[in-house]
Amino acid sequence: MDRRTFSGLALGSAVAGPLWAQPATAPKVLRYAFRAPETSLDPVKASDLYSRTITAHLFEALYNYDHLARPVKFKPLLAAGMPEHDEGYRVWRVKLRSGIYFPSDAAFKGQRREVVAEDLVYAMKRFADPRNKSPVWGFIDSFKFLGLAELRQKAMDQKTAFDYDTPVMGVRALDRSTIEYRMAQPRPRFIEFLASSDLFGAVAREVVEHYGEDIDKHPVGTGPFKLKEWRRGSLIVLERNPEYRERFYDAEPAPDDAEGQAMLAQFKGRRLPMVDRVELSIIQESQPRWLSFLNEEHNLIQEVPPEFISQAMPNGQIAPHLKKRGVGSQRVLMPDNNYTIFNLEDPVVGGYTPERVALRRAIALGMDVEREIRLTLHGQAVIAQASVAPQTTSYDPKFRSAMSEYNPTKAKALLDMVGYVDRNGDGYREQPNGQPLVLNWSMEDDQRGRQRSEIWLKDMKAIGIRVEFKTGKWPELLKASRAGNFQVWHIGGLSASPDSQGSLQRYDGTQIGGQNMARFKRPEMDAIYAKLSEMPDGPERDKLFVEAYRIGTVWMPYKIRLHTVRTDLFHKGVKGYRRPAFWQEFWHYVDVEA
């Protein structure tokens, strides 16, 4: 008998009438929609926001973020306390909290099993296993865990299975409850890595070996929810983990954070999770997603579609008809970047020769981002100056750079100068060698994709460049970009930590095939990225960020276009909602009226 049923029975015994006549307590259900499908429920293969939102609630890392604290604070999750570090931030040790269990599963012969340090070691090694083709391996490798890359390379060179039993100095269990990380260089902000439940939660080897190729369908973690139903690209249902340990609502909002203080007063001491079930639909088109919220089929909508923002929030205030229904709202400038990506290995737009660099810079100069924001996002964004996300440590709202410049006249002059000219009088330019110049631009086959394609087609025609669009579904385009099978694409990136360096992963040459979708590699940028990883926060580090932004603007592997402003709405039955900042988990902190 679970806690909900028991509570209902106890209440029934205190009122008149037979006990059996009392209605069962209705489950509390959080319902909302993703606007793009998930790709995987296996953390080692998940890289998109939607998949990582789900895995963050199934798995747990050593630490997590205080969900109400702004600026951020870290709290122990699987860990028994805060980490120890020595040797100039090269070595980090964490003690596990006792009494945390994986839930009962066939992999454990129907029993539950306590988490041990070796589960965190195994989870990390899975990213290094070449067979898993993890899209975040490059990011992990940038930490230079001693011996981990060598073990991976051995499996690749010998074409053998990855040896999980070989000890690795860089990530090892010192005993049943102590895990140690050793890195070749200092990593002063390593706790941010240890607080990523969406990727680096505990994983049991028995589960992976039991389910084999079907592991994606059987995520077994220590988190507050369990997977109940999964129809790929359509519906994901998670239910409260009935074996979840006793964990209670607590937080440390800032003293002047009235909203956060009110949430803490309302929920402090409540057992987590507070909802029984989460139902996620995949609705890519804006209108049906908006109507699902209006009709109360969903009780939350994250990111009101821009084309409906004037209906929802006229003049920045919630619409009277929604206010009457008790709808609440939150609006925030997101810690994100929206990029246009050029494949640096493509024979038309790639390379580092002057004419190819000039082509990419001309394309960037010809993109009217202000018009894009106005027409496709209805003003719900700000123009980006560099690849640094708002809310992160080195973001300066006053910083300006050539990245944001829109100047078709300069774009045309630049193309003329390096030999991209119209030789046959058809209004479109040819390459300097006389070959046709055609941009093959990947695009999602949804409403917003169609809007963007019309804008960018007009932008490029204005500077004499012919464009052909290749449409596809989001997961397909993402997979193609990881493999380098594209010419021009666009993507949004949400910062996963408060450190601004996260936005520079896309420029790190060691992360090609992962976060570095442009396949950009320059020794000066790689050196800066490595140095930023080692340096403590401060003015000298901030200067390096500015130099990195300058390099990104010079070579233009990405046109950084904008940062989005997102408005979330929730019906009156949803209590305690606050949009996460650098983390994805929030379902268990929300209460929903049954």
Side-chain angles (χ1 to χ4, degrees):
M1 182 179 293
D2 67 22
R3 190 182 179 98
R4 285 180 289 122
T5 308
F6 182 82
S7 297
L9 291 175
L11 178 63
S13 64
V15 298
L19 184 61
W20 53 264
Q22 302 306 317
T25 302
K28 297 180 176 184
V29 185
L30 178 66
R31 297 183 179 92
Y32 69 107
F34 289 162
R35 63 182 181 88
E38 76 294 344
T39 56
S40 177
L41 300 189
D42 183 356
V44 80
K45 298 175 183 175
S47 62
D48 61 284
L49 171 65
Y50 309 102
S51 299
R52 288 170 63 170
T53 299
I54 300 168
T55 57
H57 293 90
L58 297 170
F59 299 89
E60 292 179 311
L62 291 164
Y63 298 90
N64 68 338
Y65 290 85
D66 185 315
H67 63 291
L68 295 184
R70 309 289 191 278
V72 300
K73 294 180 182 178
F74 295 97
K75 300 166 63 175
L77 188 55
L78 295 184
M82 299 307 287
E84 298 176 355
H85 56 80
D86 55 27
E87 296 186 26
Y89 295 103
R90 289 177 173 84
V91 179
W92 291 69
R93 297 184 193 90
V94 181
K95 198 83 170 177
L96 285 179
R97 182 179 302 175
S98 61
I100 295 180
Y101 290 84
F102 292 106
S104 303
D105 191 85
F108 308 126
K109 297 181 170 42
Q111 305 297 312
R112 63 177 187 162
R113 203 261 279 163
E114 188 172 13
V115 176
V116 295
E118 195 61 47
D119 295 318
L120 279 302
V121 174
Y122 175 73
M124 186 68 71
K125 286 181 174 179
R126 291 192 70 223
F127 288 93
D129 187 341
R131 293 177 302 179
N132 290 328
K133 299 179 181 179
S134 176
V136 297
W137 162 249
F139 169 65
I140 292 171
D141 190 38
S142 70
F143 285 84
K144 306 302 178 187
F145 296 102
L146 298 180
L148 189 59
E150 289 78 4
L151 190 61
R152 171 187 170 88
Q153 192 62 47
K154 181 180 178 181
M156 296 172 67
D157 291 343
Q158 298 181 0
K159 298 181 180 180
T160 57
F162 185 85
D163 187 356
Y164 284 92
D165 295 316
T166 295
V168 172
M169 184 67 71
V171 51
R172 58 177 179 162
L174 300 183
D175 54 43
R176 182 178 174 84
S177 62
T178 309
I179 183 169
E180 180 184 81
Y181 301 90
R182 285 183 173 266
M183 292 159 280
Q185 287 94 28
R187 291 295 184 264
R189 289 158 294 275
F190 187 60
I191 193 169
E192 296 175 0
F193 182 100
L194 300 177
S196 301
S197 291
D198 52 346
L199 293 177
F200 307 129
V203 174
R205 184 170 181 173
E206 302 98 305
V207 172
V208 177
E209 294 180 349
H210 179 80
Y211 291 108
E213 293 299 319
D214 288 332
I215 184 60
D216 201 37
K217 302 173 186 175
H218 299 277
V220 179
T222 63
F225 294 93
K226 295 180 66 175
L227 181 65
K228 175 67 175 179
E229 182 180 356
W230 183 21
R231 286 181 250 156
R232 285 184 181 270
S234 175
L235 177 69
I236 305 105
V237 178
L238 293 97
E239 290 188 342
R240 174 200 298 269
N241 177 358
E243 298 175 284
Y244 195 57
R245 64 190 178 278
E246 285 194 339
R247 185 177 165 205
F248 302 96
Y249 192 107
D250 196 12
E252 297 180 48
D256 59 351
D257 180 0
E259 180 188 64
Q261 291 291 344
M263 289 181 182
L264 178 61
Q266 183 176 4
F267 299 114
K268 185 175 175 63
R270 289 275 300 275
R271 186 166 181 177
L272 303 177
M274 294 190 285
V275 296
D276 302 298
R277 184 178 173 100
V278 180
E279 297 178 0
L280 302 166
S281 305
I282 312 300
I283 306 179
Q284 298 187 62
E285 296 291 351
S286 297
Q287 186 178 44
R289 191 165 69 253
W290 173 238
L291 291 176
S292 293
F293 176 76
L294 288 182
N295 296 335
E296 298 192 42
E297 296 166 16
H298 296 150
N299 45 24
L300 167 69
I301 181 168
Q302 282 196 318
E303 188 184 357
V304 173
E307 52 266 49
F308 297 107
I309 197 67
S310 60
Q311 297 179 29
M313 301 285 290
N315 301 315
Q317 301 295 319
I318 195 161
H321 71 98
L322 295 175
K323 193 172 183 178
K324 279 184 180 179
R325 295 169 62 181
V327 173
S329 67
Q330 287 188 9
R331 187 172 185 268
V332 63
L333 175 62
M334 294 295 292
D336 68 4
N337 288 301
N338 281 255
Y339 309 79
T340 295
I341 312 171
F342 302 102
N343 183 352
L344 270 289
E345 294 179 358
D346 180 80
V348 175
V349 299
Y352 301 88
T353 57
E355 69 275 10
R356 297 289 173 74
V357 175
L359 174 62
R360 295 194 296 271
R361 294 185 68 172
I363 293 169
L365 284 166
M367 298 183 73
D368 189 348
V369 178
E370 188 279 328
R371 182 166 169 263
E372 177 192 353
I373 291 173
R374 187 175 71 254
L375 296 182
T376 70
L377 298 176
H378 297 259
Q380 300 301 291
V382 298
I383 294 175
Q385 301 294 329
S387 58
V388 55
Q391 302 186 45
T392 61
T393 50
S394 293
Y395 178 74
D396 180 0
K398 297 178 182 178
F399 178 76
R400 295 292 179 268
S401 80
M403 181 65 75
S404 64
E405 185 177 4
Y406 168 58
N407 193 327
T409 301
K410 185 186 287 188
K412 289 187 283 188
L414 186 58
L415 291 170
D416 290 340
M417 183 175 66
V418 295
Y420 289 94
V421 295
D422 177 9
R423 294 177 174 82
N424 57 18
D426 65 354
Y428 292 102
R429 300 171 184 271
E430 286 81 47
Q431 297 185 54
N433 61 7
Q435 294 295 314
L437 173 61
V438 182
L439 297 185
N440 293 306
W441 206 308
S442 301
M443 186 67 62
E444 293 85 353
D445 57 354
D446 57 19
Q447 181 181 0
R448 192 173 298 179
R450 291 186 287 273
Q451 289 176 330
R452 283 173 169 158
S453 64
E454 291 173 5
I455 290 171
W456 293 336
L457 183 68
K458 184 176 180 179
D459 287 345
M460 294 301 100
K461 186 176 181 180
I463 60 174
I465 295 179
R466 191 188 304 273
V467 177
E468 294 179 355
F469 290 100
K470 176 184 177 183
T471 59
K473 299 293 184 183
W474 157 257
E476 299 166 357
L477 297 178
L478 179 63
K479 184 177 180 180
S481 72
R482 297 267 187 228
N485 297 326
F486 77 104
Q487 190 177 86
V488 185
W489 192 38
H490 63 275
I491 195 171
L494 184 67
S495 182
S497 77
D499 182 21
S500 295
Q501 188 176 355
S503 299
L504 295 179
Q505 290 178 39
R506 298 198 185 280
Y507 294 89
D508 178 22
T510 68
Q511 300 191 51
I512 290 174
Q515 297 302 313
N516 185 350
M517 296 185 191
R519 313 180 88 76
F520 174 72
K521 188 169 182 61
R522 291 294 304 177
E524 64 271 28
M525 182 65 94
D526 291 349
I528 287 176
Y529 187 87
K531 194 169 183 179
L532 286 170
S533 300
E534 302 173 15
M535 294 177 70
D537 295 334
E540 292 303 312
R541 192 168 186 260
D542 289 340
K543 289 179 183 178
L544 269 187
F545 275 112
V546 174
E547 177 61 13
Y549 305 148
R550 186 193 68 80
I551 294 172
T553 303
V554 167
W555 294 103
M556 200 61 71
Y558 306 92
K559 162 69 172 179
I560 320 299
R561 304 194 320 277
L562 55 90
H563 313 298
T564 60
V565 174
R566 296 188 185 176
T567 300
D568 304 336
L569 299 182
F570 41 90
H571 286 290
K572 65 180 180 180
V574 177
K575 310 294 183 184
Y577 172 75
R578 173 174 279 190
R579 176 181 272 275
F582 305 107
W583 56 98
Q584 315 308 329
E585 54 267 40
F586 72 92
W587 301 341
H588 43 305
Y589 300 120
V590 173
D591 194 13
V592 177
E593 291 180 359

